[in-house]
Amino acid sequence: MKMLAFATRNTKEILRDMLTLLFGLGFPIILLLLLSAINAGIPKEAAAASTMFQIQNLTPGITVFGLSFMSLFSSMLISKDRTTSFILRLFTSPLKPKDFILGYTLPLLPMAVVQTAICYIVSLFLGFEFSANMLLALVVNIPMSVVFIALGLLFGTILNEKAVGGICGALLTNLSAWFSNIWFDTGLVGGWFKTVADILPFSHGVNAGRYAVSGEYSQIMPELIWVIGYAVVLTVTAIIVFSVKMKRDK
């Protein structure tokens, strides 16, 4: 119950910052509209040679890229609490490290689902073919949401409020963009670039989403297991690091 009360407080903090909230929800939609317009302007001969910007492939990628903003939300939330006396007062409560991390995570998961849902709804007006697989795609994106949220909590536990803005707001979004198979096929680059892309979870999350919307169900789990593994490891790491910081700051 205390963890849920803490999660409720964090929800109110997130909703209080409406400008950042609207930016996080709206920026992926702007990208989707912009890239769809670019794709519409590509000559048919060139468009046939590349399917990356076609709406059926583009939308799952944009939904994953949009989730990178969850890192910024989570990192700013926890780092801001660390710089005030609020977190010190909470250290005297019965909350355990895992309760803190879950309390920060739970309010962001519905936000991530809403962001993904909005992207798919907008894509319907851009030619995306409606099917029940869209609901599956929402579920498939949840482990990727946890990956980004856990990364934000990990960096927010270690770094101050200004530093996490650069790490989670710039570096992480660029990493998720370049190594995710959204804008281009990493296999075409090959070499170390493809190796790094295959190690990181971003391309696996995008691929799982694309397999979900295309109905290739047997291909989803091989990609999603990689993402789930990252989600579990990063969440556990965030709990351990927070526990260490908690003991030092008491």
Side-chain angles (χ1 to χ4, degrees), residues 134-169:
M134 291 174 64
L135 297 177
L136 177 60
L138 290 178
V139 176
V140 166
N141 265 15
I142 291 176
M144 201 67 231
S145 306
V146 177
V147 168
F148 282 116
I149 293 170
L151 278 170
L153 294 175
L154 180 58
F155 287 123
T157 300
I158 300 171
L159 305 173
N160 59 40
E161 195 173 351
K162 291 183 179 180
V164 294
I167 295 294
C168 297

Side-chain angles (χ1 to χ4, degrees), residues 1-145:
M1 290 297 294
K2 293 183 181 297
M3 186 272 288
L4 292 178
F6 181 55
T8 301
R9 174 265 174 187
N10 291 329
T11 301
K12 293 178 181 178
E13 286 295 314
I14 294 169
L15 294 176
R16 193 171 288 130
D17 189 0
M18 289 302 298
L19 183 61
T20 304
L21 180 63
L22 291 174
F23 179 80
L25 293 175
F27 187 69
I29 297 172
I30 294 173
L31 275 179
L32 188 63
L33 294 171
L34 178 62
L35 293 173
S36 296
I38 292 174
N39 184 65
I42 297 176
K44 292 183 178 180
E45 297 79 7
S50 176
T51 61
M52 298 301 290
F53 283 0
Q54 292 180 7
I55 195 65
Q56 294 292 128
N57 284 324
L58 181 63
T59 304
I62 291 297
T63 61
V64 170
F65 177 69
L67 293 175
S68 63
F69 291 98
M70 295 300 109
S71 293
L72 184 59
F73 281 118
S74 60
S75 64
M76 294 292 286
L77 188 60
I78 192 171
S79 63
K80 185 177 180 180
D81 284 345
R82 284 180 49 242
T83 58
T84 65
S85 58
F86 175 78
I87 198 74
L88 294 177
R89 293 198 301 270
L90 285 179
F91 285 166
T92 62
S93 70
L95 288 172
K96 297 179 180 179
K98 65 179 180 62
D99 296 323
F100 280 101
I101 296 301
L102 291 177
Y104 284 116
T105 301
L106 289 179
L108 289 169
L109 286 178
M111 181 178 168
V113 173
V114 169
Q115 183 189 70
T116 300
I118 291 174
C119 282
Y120 276 108
I121 291 171
V122 171
S123 72
L124 293 174
F125 297 95
L126 300 173
F128 192 92
E129 296 179 7
F130 175 80
S131 72
N133 290 332
M134 291 174 64
L135 297 177
L136 177 60
L138 290 178
V139 176
V140 166
N141 265 15
I142 291 176
M144 201 67 231
S145 306

